[in-house]
Amino acid sequence: MPVPLLDLKAQHATIRDDVVAAVMGVVDSQLFILGEAVVALEKAVAELSHSKHAVGCASGTDALLLALRVLDVGRGDEVITTPFTFFATAGTIHNVGATPVFVDIDPETFNILPEAVAAARTGQSKAVVPVDLFGQMAPLEAIATAVPGLPIIEDAAQSIGARRMIDGEWRMAGESATVGTFSFFPSKNLGGYGDGGMLVTQNDALAERLRRLRMHGGAKQYFHDEVGYNSRLDALQAAVLSAKLPHLAGWSAKRRQNAAYYDRAFADLADVRTPVVGPENESIFNQYTIRASRRDALQAFLKERGIGTSIYYPLPLHLQPCFAYLGYREGQCPESERAAKEVLSLPIFPELTQAQLDEVVAGVRAFFGR
Ligand SMILES: Cc1ncc(COP(=O)(O)O)c(C=O)c1O
């Protein structure tokens, strides 16, 4: 039985009528740019992430770009981040003219290490960009303590609805940072039917400027206070996302259930390390990422059996050819480099059937002769 890494058609089949009605509502209104549909989603995402403001934009990448711009990050500035993430986290730092400063990760959670962030701070440091990788929030409170006063852009592209216990209270992804960013790329837990993104913040002035920056930098049409972008969330995407949002908590809970099933099924395998989520975190498991010995052979074996997997990420960003100018060498972020050689993400989507879960388990166990 084939088991794809992700089956968006299976999810669409469960919500088709609602999504089609939402899309047709926008089509009939002929209001495609911002407007009510976008405002409604912004309100809902602000509520979900316990944030005062939410600002829709064109993608998770643009959300990062706008966050950097609104914090005046530019030429001559350094931004501390993780090399074990999707490219956009660092690509946007480069694109605003700043220098990405890569520091290593915690091998348990794959998230950036607060003490490494502290050690990397210099007089040029302008911001830190922790990533809530695979659906699990980074230790934001420890990062804030490690670099007091440094603005935090939380790249929560993979983690909408995740939460972390901070000072005795559950804090949502996006809630505690200076600016939090989300992606609605179709493979995310809350995925659009195309690109989309959003920023959240508790800060009135930042929110107001973000709204200008996403519309060419003008508060009033044809008058520009600064140079911004055309980076709006499509009303059609907003309508799709609003139709999907009521399902998000249930979908993420199902992913956690699937993860717990795999955890138990692999518990006796010495060659497999299952993901570590501490009691202080509730992950939304955008990915279920194991570490495995003979990872490439395992992936090929599973592929033979029709089981989809992926390697997030095969080459850490400090070693990417485009960042050769920064002068990093192998060995400088050893945990990220080791993770890149060992990680394998398995199917975890909420619509997986029991038979599909068992097929994945049987495949992994068979490879290790168990
Ligand atoms: C960690 C991370 N940051 C940023 C992005 C960029 O988001 P988008 O693809 O919506 O531009 C993604 C996802 O694709 C991501 O996983």
Side-chain angles (χ1 to χ4, degrees):
M1 177 202 323
V3 189
L5 180 63
L6 179 63
D7 187 350
L8 290 174
K9 282 188 178 170
Q11 180 162 96
H12 176 63
T14 67
I15 52 171
R16 189 176 185 283
D17 290 349
D18 289 348
V19 171
V20 169
V23 167
M24 287 317 292
V26 174
V27 170
D28 288 339
S29 78
Q30 290 291 295
L31 297 171
F32 297 113
I33 305 298
L34 297 177
E36 262 174 46
V38 172
V39 171
L41 182 71
E42 287 175 341
K43 191 164 170 280
V45 170
E47 253 167 48
L48 170 69
S49 55
H50 298 173
S51 295
K52 194 163 174 201
H53 305 280
V55 180
C57 67
S59 68
T61 302
D62 274 11
L64 287 165
L65 192 66
L66 289 162
L68 290 160
R69 278 289 309 274
V70 86
L71 294 171
D72 294 316
V73 177
R75 223 163 289 283
D77 296 328
E78 294 176 356
V79 179
I80 305 167
T81 192
T82 163
F84 196 63
T85 175
F86 179 65
F87 182 72
T89 311
T92 48
I93 296 169
H94 169 98
N95 278 341
V96 296
T99 303
V101 175
F102 295 111
V103 301
D104 214 357
I105 54 165
D106 176 344
E108 300 253 285
T109 62
F110 304 114
N111 280 330
I112 200 168
L113 273 172
E115 48 273 35
V117 173
R121 187 175 196 175
T122 71
Q124 274 70 53
S125 303
K126 195 70 180 270
V128 54
V129 186
V131 178
D132 299 337
L133 206 70
F134 302 148
Q136 173 166 223
M137 280 176 66
L140 297 182
E141 72 292 352
I143 292 167
T145 307
V147 282
L150 200 63
I152 299 178
I153 298 172
E154 179 183 0
D155 182 348
Q158 305 180 2
S159 297
I160 189 165
R163 52 186 197 162
R164 178 176 172 88
M165 187 65 78
I166 298 178
D167 295 334
E169 291 205 37
W170 284 110
R171 301 284 179 192
M172 302 302 294
E175 176 180 353
S176 316
T178 314
V179 182
T181 65
F182 298 122
S183 163
F184 302 126
F185 187 79
S187 65
K188 304 300 194 242
N189 287 35
L190 181 64
Y193 287 14
D195 278 311
M198 198 164 282
L199 302 108
V200 290
T201 181
Q202 312 289 4
N203 181 302
D204 298 346
L206 292 180
E208 197 193 319
R209 189 167 164 214
L210 284 169
R211 290 185 192 286
R212 289 203 306 267
L213 280 170
R214 76 172 168 182
M215 286 258 280
H216 296 295
K220 205 168 123 194
Q221 206 175 16
Y222 308 126
F223 293 86
H224 302 271
D225 311 302
E226 60 182 324
V227 179
Y229 306 88
N230 175 358
S231 182
R232 297 168 296 225
L233 179 64
D234 278 338
L236 280 168
Q237 294 305 333
V240 169
L241 291 160
S242 285
K244 292 183 77 174
L245 187 58
H247 302 278
L248 176 64
W251 287 331
S252 295
K254 190 69 181 32
R255 284 170 181 264
R256 279 193 291 277
Q257 258 179 41
N258 293 343
Y261 188 77
Y262 283 146
D263 285 351
R264 289 193 296 274
F266 301 141
D268 63 324
L269 298 183
D271 292 294
V272 170
R273 278 168 66 192
T274 53
V276 178
V277 179
E280 71 288 358
N281 267 305
E282 185 176 78
S283 174
I284 63 158
F285 281 101
N286 182 240
Q287 301 297 339
Y288 181 88
T289 303
I290 60 169
R291 287 175 183 261
S293 36
R294 295 185 290 135
R295 186 269 316 271
D296 292 342
L298 170 62
Q299 185 179 38
F301 180 85
L302 293 175
K303 188 173 176 207
E304 269 303 293
R305 293 172 71 121
I307 298 169
T309 62
S310 194
I311 295 168
Y312 304 117
Y313 298 91
L315 183 64
L317 299 188
H318 66 294
L319 301 178
Q320 293 286 342
C322 67
F323 290 134
Y325 74 93
L326 295 172
Y328 288 91
R329 293 175 318 280
E330 228 177 305
Q332 278 185 283
C333 295
E335 291 301 345
S336 303
E337 292 161 29
R338 191 167 306 132
K341 293 190 177 87
E342 294 179 356
V343 291
L344 190 66
S345 296
L346 303 180
I348 190 70
F349 61 90
E351 296 77 20
L352 276 173
T353 64
Q354 187 57 48
Q356 286 177 312
L357 280 166
D358 287 334
E359 186 80 6
V360 176
V361 169
V364 172
R365 295 188 67 86
F367 177 76
F368 291 112
R370 300 293 294 269

